[in-house]
Amino acid sequence: MTKTKEKSLYSVWFVVPSLVIFLVFFLWPVISSLYYSMTVWNFETATFNGLENYKLFFTDPAMSTSVPHTLLYAFATSGLKVVLAFFIAIFLTSSIKSKDFIRSAVFFPNLVSTMAVGLTFAYMMHPTKGLLNVVIKGVTGSGVDFLGNPSTALWSIIATDVWKGLSISVVIYIAGIQSIDQSYYEAASIDGANWWQQITNVTLPLVAPAQNSIIILSLIGGLRTFDLIWAMTGGGPGFATDVLASVIYKQYAAGFYGLSTAGNVVMLVLISVIAFPLQHFLNKREEAIR
Amino acid sequence: METKRKRNQIIGDIVGLFFTVVIFLIPFYFMFVQSIKSKKEANRLSIAWPTELHFENYIEVVKHGNYQLVTAFKNSGLLTLFTVLGLLLTGAMAGYVIQRRKGKLMTAIQSTIMLGLMIPASILPTIRMLQSMGIYKTMFSMVMIEIALQTPFTIMLYRGFMASIPVDLEEAASIDGCSRWQIFSKIIFPLLKPIQATIIILVGVQTFNDFTNPLYFLPGAANTTVQLTLYNYKGQLANTYNLLFADIIIITVPMLILFLIFNKRIVAGMVAGAVKG
C-alpha cells in the first residue's frame, strides 16, 4: 500500500487519546521523579539536595538490603515459573482427559487478589496451627516458622508468588505450543525421535517466543512486587523481606518523600539495566533459532 | 503399544488430578471452610469441616464497619467498569492505527508506549501532579491512572490481533464512501470481539484486584476499594478469621463469574497477543 493511501485511511488522531493519557498519567511523573529524587520535599516545596537521598538509601541497611532481596525475589520467581510452567503446559497439551479441569484449576489462583492469597498463605504457614505445619509436624516432629524466621521468610513468599503467578505462564506456554505446526512432530517421529527428544528438539526451540514473553513479564513483575510482601510479612521480620517497593511505601508513610522517590528511581534503573539488555539478548536468540 | 499408551494416559490423569487437588484446590477449600465456621473453630485454622455451619458470617462481614464493604464494592465496581470501557475503546483505536500505519512517527509513538511494559510508575510524583491538577483522591484520576498503566499491554494485544484482519476490508469500505471513523467503528471494532473478551477478563481482574494503586492514589474511608477493606480487616478482625475469610470469598466471587463467562477466550487471546505480537 502506498504512503498516501495509508494516511488517508488511518488517522493519527486515533492514537491521541491513548498517547495523552499515557504521557500525562505515566510518563511525565516518571521523568519528573528524576528531579524530585534529588530533593527534600513535602509535595508543596522541594529543596534540591543533590545525591544525598541516594547516599542515604545505599548506606542504611534498612533500605540497601532491599536491592539484593528484590533481585533474589525476581530471579527466583521468574526462573521457577519458566521451568515449572513449561512442564505443566506440556502435560496440559497432551492427550490427558482431565486437562480442561486441571487447566481451570491452575488458572484459579489468578482470579484471587494478591492480598487474599497473601493472607491465606500467611495463615496456612502459621507457626503452630497452620495447615503446612500440621503436616510437617506429623512427619518430622517439629514445625517451621516460615514467615517468622529471617532465613525462610523470603523463600516462603517466593513460593506463594509462584503458586499464584504460575497460571499466566502456563497459559502463554499453551498458546505457544498450540501454534506449533504438527508436521514438525510427524517429521521428528519418522526420524525416530522419542517423546523426550521431541520435547527438547521441537517444542523447546519453537516455543521460544512464548518463553521470552514469560521470562520478561515474570522478571519485571518480580522486580516491582509489593502487595504479596505487604500482605504476608510487611517487610519483616526486621528487614528480611523488604524489597524496593516496600521501602518506597515505608519511606512515603514516614514522610520522607524525596527518599521514597529515590527508591523509585533505583527501581527504574534496576529494571532498565536488567530488562532492556535481556530482551535484546532474547530477541537475538529467537532470530538465531529461526 | 496401544494398551501401553492407554495405561500411561490413565496414570497421567491420576497423577495430574492428585497434584492439582493438593496444590491448587486445598487452599481454596481452606478459605471457604474457615468462612463458614464459628469464631472459635475458625481460630484453630484447621481444614476440618465445621461442626455447625455459620453462613451468617457473610451477613456480619457485610455489616461490619457501617457497611464499608458495600461502599467498597460500589467503588471497585465503578473503577473496574470505567477502566475496562476506557481501555477497550482507546486501546482499540490506537492499536488499529499503530498496526496499520508504518513510518517514523508511528514507530516513535509505539516505542514510547511500550516503555510502559518495562519501567515502573513513579508514585509520589504522580500524587504531586494529581494534587496540582486538583484531582487527587477522585475516581476520575484513579481511572486515568489504571488506564495509563494498562494501555501498553492492551495495545500490544490489539495490535497482535489486528495483524490477522485483512486490509482489503478497509479499502473496500473506503471505496464505498465510509469515513475513517466509520471504517473503524462499523467495520473494524466489531471484528475485534475475540480479543476484547481477553482484554475484559485480564484488565477486569487486574483492576478489581488492584491493591497498590488505590492504596496510594485513592485513600480515605469513602474511597475504599474491596482490596483495601481486606487489608483493613486484617488488623480490625485479627481474631475473627471466619469473617476475614468470608470477606475473601465475597470479593473473589465476581472475578470467578467473569472467568466462567470468558474462560474459553483466554488462551486464544494470548496466542494473538503474547506470542505473535
Side-chain angles (χ1 to χ4, degrees):
Chain A
M1 199 192 303
T2 60
K3 265 249 164 75
T4 46
K5 216 172 185 182
E6 246 179 40
K7 272 187 189 149
S8 68
L9 271 177
Y10 313 109
S11 167
V12 177
W13 289 104
F14 281 26
V15 186
V16 170
S18 278
L19 191 63
V20 168
I21 294 174
F22 182 76
L23 291 179
V24 173
F25 291 93
F26 180 82
L27 205 57
W28 170 244
V30 169
I31 293 166
S32 65
S33 73
L34 299 176
Y35 168 70
Y36 287 121
S37 72
M38 292 187 278
T39 64
V40 176
W41 67 312
N42 57 2
F43 287 153
E44 263 110 56
T45 56
T47 321
F48 188 80
N49 73 343
L51 296 174
E52 282 307 307
N53 290 330
Y54 291 99
K55 259 186 215 157
L56 191 56
F57 188 94
F58 285 109
T59 48
D60 185 347
M63 288 177 268
S64 62
T65 53
S66 70
V67 176
H69 294 158
T70 307
L71 290 172
L72 173 65
Y73 189 94
F75 281 99
T77 51
S78 178
L80 286 167
K81 284 175 197 170
V82 168
V83 175
L84 292 174
F86 179 70
F87 288 105
I88 296 177
I90 294 274
F91 183 74
L92 291 180
T93 47
S94 66
S95 53
I96 301 295
K97 282 207 178 63
S98 51
K99 62 184 171 191
D100 284 342
F101 170 76
I102 297 178
R103 198 185 284 183
S104 300
V106 172
F107 197 79
F108 233 55
N110 212 43
L111 303 170
V112 186
S113 71
T114 312
M115 193 38 67
V117 168
L119 292 183
T120 305
F121 273 79
Y123 291 127
M124 290 203 301
M125 291 174 180
H126 191 285
T128 52
K129 309 186 271 193
L131 179 60
L132 290 171
N133 269 318
V134 171
V135 175
I136 292 171
K137 262 185 203 159
V139 180
T140 65
S142 63
V144 181
D145 191 359
F146 290 98
L147 297 171
N149 183 338
S151 58
T152 53
L154 195 58
W155 284 102
S156 305
I157 305 175
I158 288 170
T160 311
D161 186 312
V162 172
W163 182 85
K164 177 167 164 46
L166 204 53
S167 60
I168 278 288
S169 307
V170 172
V171 169
I172 297 175
Y173 267 131
I174 289 176
I177 291 173
Q178 282 179 349
S179 61
I180 296 174
D181 198 326
Q182 279 303 316
S183 61
Y184 289 110
Y185 292 103
E186 282 156 20
S189 92
I190 289 168
D191 289 347
N194 64 27
W195 174 80
W196 179 246
Q197 285 166 332
Q198 287 185 22
I199 287 178
T200 52
N201 295 319
V202 180
T203 313
L204 197 55
L206 290 175
V207 87
Q211 193 171 45
N212 293 349
S213 302
I214 295 167
I215 294 172
I216 292 284
L217 285 175
S218 59
L219 196 64
I220 293 171
L223 291 168
R224 290 172 174 184
T225 193
F226 172 69
D227 37 12
L228 193 62
I229 302 248
W230 205 241
M232 292 183 79
T233 61
F239 329 114
T241 57
D242 257 328
V243 290
L244 281 167
S246 67
V247 169
I248 293 170
Y249 183 74
K250 281 180 175 175
Q251 296 307 324
Y252 165 61
F256 300 115
Y257 295 172
L259 201 51
S260 170
T261 310
N264 221 152
V265 175
V266 171
M267 189 200 274
L268 171 74
V269 172
L270 197 66
I271 292 180
S272 303
V273 299
I274 293 172
F276 289 109
L278 183 66
Q279 193 174 40
H280 185 73
F281 168 77
L282 292 175
N283 286 344
K284 274 254 163 89
R285 190 187 72 152
E286 202 180 310
E287 279 162 23
I289 290 165
R290 283 174 180 174
Chain B
M1 184 76 185
E2 194 54 33
T3 50
K4 195 182 162 202
R5 181 177 285 176
K6 264 217 173 109
R7 202 193 59 204
N8 278 348
Q9 198 179 320
I10 291 170
I11 293 173
D13 268 320
I14 293 169
V15 172
L17 284 171
F18 175 77
F19 278 105
T20 308
V21 169
V22 170
I23 296 173
F24 288 99
L25 296 186
I26 285 184
F28 290 102
Y29 169 77
F30 176 82
M31 289 177 200
F32 177 68
V33 83
Q34 307 307 328
S35 77
I36 52 169
K37 285 180 177 176
S38 67
K39 183 182 167 191
K40 206 173 146 202
E41 272 188 346
N43 283 6
R44 280 188 218 124
L45 291 173
S46 83
I47 55 166
W49 189 251
T51 47
E52 276 178 352
L53 299 180
H54 288 270
F55 282 104
E56 76 277 8
N57 290 342
Y58 287 86
I59 299 167
E60 214 175 306
V61 78
V62 171
K63 283 183 182 165
H64 180 79
N66 201 11
Y67 291 93
Q68 220 183 80
L69 200 55
V70 178
T71 313
F73 255 97
K74 197 191 88 199
N75 288 335
S76 287
L78 287 175
L79 176 61
T80 308
L81 180 72
F82 287 126
T83 303
V84 169
L85 290 180
L87 274 169
L88 281 181
L89 184 63
T90 60
M93 288 163 64
Y96 165 63
V97 173
I98 285 176
Q99 201 275 325
R100 289 298 198 241
R101 269 182 79 145
K102 308 285 172 282
K104 272 187 189 147
L105 178 66
M106 279 300 139
T107 313
I109 292 175
Q110 189 188 326
S111 324
T112 308
I113 292 181
M114 288 307 138
L115 277 179
L117 285 178
M118 299 253 183
I119 62 179
S122 286
I123 294 153
L124 302 195
T126 309
I127 296 180
R128 165 80 184 80
M129 184 195 69
L130 297 177
Q131 280 184 346
S132 66
M133 291 163 85
I135 54 171
Y136 182 48
K137 299 186 193 179
T138 61
M139 183 55 75
F140 170 75
S141 66
M142 193 65 245
V143 170
M144 285 298 135
I145 286 168
E146 292 285 2
I147 291 181
L149 290 175
Q150 297 179 69
T151 283
F153 187 66
T154 307
I155 290 183
M156 189 178 94
L157 289 181
Y158 267 129
R159 197 193 58 199
F161 190 80
M162 271 308 301
S164 66
I165 297 176
V167 185
D168 315 358
L169 281 176
E170 292 126 58
E171 286 174 351
S174 163
I175 293 163
D176 289 348
C178 285
S179 72
R180 291 189 287 197
W181 175 251
Q182 282 172 331
I183 295 175
F184 171 74
S185 62
K186 299 239 169 76
I187 294 167
I188 300 301
F189 197 68
L191 289 176
L192 297 173
K193 270 200 189 109
I195 194 68
Q196 278 163 346
T198 312
I199 292 169
I200 289 171
I201 186 153
L202 293 178
V203 170
V205 170
Q206 168 76 26
T207 311
F208 193 83
N209 285 347
D210 191 3
F211 168 73
T212 314
N213 292 306
L215 177 73
Y216 280 114
F217 304 120
L218 207 55
N223 290 328
T224 193
T225 60
V226 288
Q227 303 308 327
L228 283 166
T229 62
L230 185 55
Y231 182 65
N232 293 337
Y233 290 178
K234 179 193 167 197
Q236 294 165 11
L237 303 172
N239 287 311
T240 39
Y241 295 137
N242 51 350
L243 297 189
L244 198 65
F245 281 100
D247 190 18
I248 291 181
I249 301 287
I250 289 176
I251 67 178
T252 304
V253 166
M255 295 302 102
L256 194 64
I257 294 169
L258 202 63
F259 174 69
L260 292 175
I261 299 171
F262 295 108
N263 182 9
K264 290 260 149 61
R265 287 273 158 221
I266 296 170
V267 172
M270 281 292 179
V271 173
V275 182
K276 286 183 197 153

